[in-house]
Amino acid sequence: MKDILFLLAISLAGYILVRILLKEPILPWKEKKASAFVPKPKKKNKKNKSSTNPLEEEEAAPFSDLFPNVKTVANHMIHFSDNRFVMMAEVEPVNYFLLDEDEQEAIDTVIETWTAQISYDVRQYLQNRFVDLTEPILEIKKTMEREDTLNEEARTFGQNMIRDLESWQKSTPRYDTKRYILFEMQVDPNDIKLHEEDDMQERIIDKAFQELYRRVTTAKNQLRRADVFVELLSTDGICEVLYYAFNRRKALKNRYSDIEEHEMLSLYVTADTPTKRIIKVRGELERVQKEEREKSEQAAG
């Protein structure tokens, strides 16, 4: 009897082992579990993709289409048609993660104090630009031309460095991040008291500039204690930011500073002009400005 029970136990153990190896249910009348196999997604063939030049870009939409309410950029501000004004300031950040814990705590305290005092609109704007090595390359060339005591090995080294930098910039574009703070406000003409000799539009611009400049100065004085330097952008600086925003790739070839140096931003013709023509153009400008003032006075009245 014991031998029969021993053989049954061995047979039962062998049966269970075989069912487990075959991944079958131990009890025959139980249904087999569905397989958990999930087919792997097929890899896309990347060979069909055409390689594109990172410095090429589609033509940007006209500025007036993207920002239809912008009236002008002047007096260090962007002036909108509904009497909104935006003043921009560039920020030189501090390398926060290279500081110790006490220094980081001091920076956090200063920034928290400044943000707690803000009761007006403040926005941050980050702009990625291609790294431009034109200025360092020009500086190296000027140094090589200015130094007459350089030996042949030093000049060869400088020429190879210039060639490598130019090749590196063209073949492997890299980005540099510019950081800005935008201060915005809207002036209500009803809050302005005019005297007889005052012009409404000039008073609106003066009020906007004084208030926004005060805000920029407050941010500059507060953040300086955290080694964060804030500098007000001039009218030309704002135009440069807008130029890079709409021509991020093209700006590497057609640099804004080159456009400025060639006087392509000038409002007037810089060629030799007779005195009579200058007087005539000046008189025409004064007439147009007078008509605009009269229109604004009529609209305000």
Side-chain angles (χ1 to χ4, degrees):
M1 187 66 180
K2 292 182 179 179
D3 295 338
I4 296 174
L5 294 176
F6 179 73
L7 291 175
L8 289 175
I10 292 177
S11 301
L12 181 61
Y15 172 78
I16 294 173
L17 180 61
V18 171
R19 301 294 287 186
I20 292 175
L21 292 176
L22 296 176
K23 296 182 180 180
E24 297 287 343
I26 297 176
L27 300 178
W29 54 86
K30 293 288 186 180
E31 294 182 358
K32 186 177 179 180
K33 293 182 179 179
S35 176
F37 173 74
V38 178
K40 295 182 179 180
K42 294 182 179 180
K43 294 183 179 180
K44 295 181 179 180
N45 188 7
K46 297 182 179 180
K47 294 183 179 180
N48 295 331
K49 292 184 178 180
S50 58
S51 58
T52 57
N53 188 349
L55 297 181
E56 294 180 356
E57 64 180 348
E58 296 181 358
E59 189 70 23
F63 183 82
S64 58
D65 292 347
L66 295 175
F67 300 97
N69 296 326
V70 173
K71 186 176 181 180
T72 183
V73 179
N75 303 301
H76 308 289
M77 298 179 295
I78 303 176
H79 184 187
F80 294 82
S81 57
D82 56 352
N83 290 327
R84 283 190 303 117
F85 295 86
V86 175
M87 186 173 284
M88 301 180 64
E90 185 173 0
V91 180
E92 289 293 336
V94 62
N95 201 329
Y96 184 84
F97 297 103
L98 290 182
L99 304 178
D100 57 33
E101 186 175 353
D102 293 336
E103 292 172 331
Q104 290 180 354
E105 182 65 25
I107 291 176
D108 293 340
T109 302
V110 171
I111 294 179
E112 289 174 4
T113 303
W114 174 63
T115 53
Q117 296 175 350
I118 295 176
S119 59
Y120 40 79
D121 293 336
V122 175
R123 290 180 291 162
Q124 298 180 7
Y125 173 57
L126 304 180
Q127 185 179 83
N128 290 329
R129 301 182 184 179
F130 283 107
V131 174
D132 188 5
L133 300 177
T134 304
E135 295 297 334
I137 291 173
L138 290 176
E139 189 64 27
I140 296 174
K141 290 181 179 180
K142 290 180 181 179
T143 302
M144 293 177 60
E145 294 174 357
R146 185 170 58 250
E147 296 294 335
D148 299 332
T149 58
L150 291 178
N151 53 36
E152 189 63 27
E153 289 77 8
R155 290 190 178 277
T156 303
F157 177 79
Q159 292 172 358
N160 291 335
M161 180 184 292
I162 293 173
R163 186 163 50 251
D164 292 341
L165 289 175
E166 292 175 344
S167 176
W168 177 85
Q169 180 172 264
K170 293 178 181 178
S171 61
T172 312
R174 287 174 170 82
Y175 295 94
D176 182 24
T177 302
K178 298 289 184 179
R179 300 161 179 86
Y180 303 95
I181 302 179
L182 279 63
F183 301 86
E184 181 179 348
M185 72 169 296
Q186 186 171 12
V187 179
D188 188 358
N190 296 326
D191 297 337
I192 297 178
K193 296 181 180 179
L194 289 177
H195 299 287
E196 294 182 357
E197 66 278 3
D198 291 340
D199 180 70
M200 172 62 76
Q201 193 61 34
E202 292 180 358
R203 289 295 307 277
I204 291 175
I205 294 174
D206 290 342
K207 182 176 181 178
F209 179 83
Q210 293 174 6
E211 176 61 24
L212 292 177
Y213 185 76
R214 181 188 67 80
R215 298 178 184 180
V216 173
T217 304
T218 301
K220 182 176 182 179
N221 295 335
Q222 289 279 347
L223 298 179
R224 184 184 299 169
R225 295 184 296 165
D227 293 332
V228 177
F229 298 96
V230 179
E231 290 296 333
L232 174 66
L233 286 184
S234 62
T235 303
D236 187 65
I238 297 175
C239 293
E240 182 178 4
V241 172
L242 297 177
Y243 177 78
Y244 277 95
F246 288 92
N247 304 276
R248 188 174 65 169
R249 292 180 172 86
K250 293 180 180 179
L252 191 59
K253 297 179 180 179
N254 304 323
R255 301 171 63 243
Y256 183 83
S257 58
D258 294 338
I259 297 175
E260 185 179 11
E261 289 177 0
H262 290 88
E263 298 184 355
M264 297 174 65
L265 302 175
S266 178
L267 295 177
Y268 306 98
V269 179
T270 55
D272 295 335
T273 307
T275 306
K276 292 182 179 179
R277 176 176 287 274
I278 294 175
I279 296 174
K280 183 178 179 180
V281 172
R282 185 180 299 174
E284 187 66 20
L285 287 174
E286 292 177 353
R287 184 186 65 80
V288 173
Q289 292 174 355
K290 183 178 178 181
E291 290 180 356
E292 290 181 352
R293 285 196 300 268
E294 291 177 352
K295 290 180 180 178
S296 61
E297 290 175 357
Q298 292 177 358

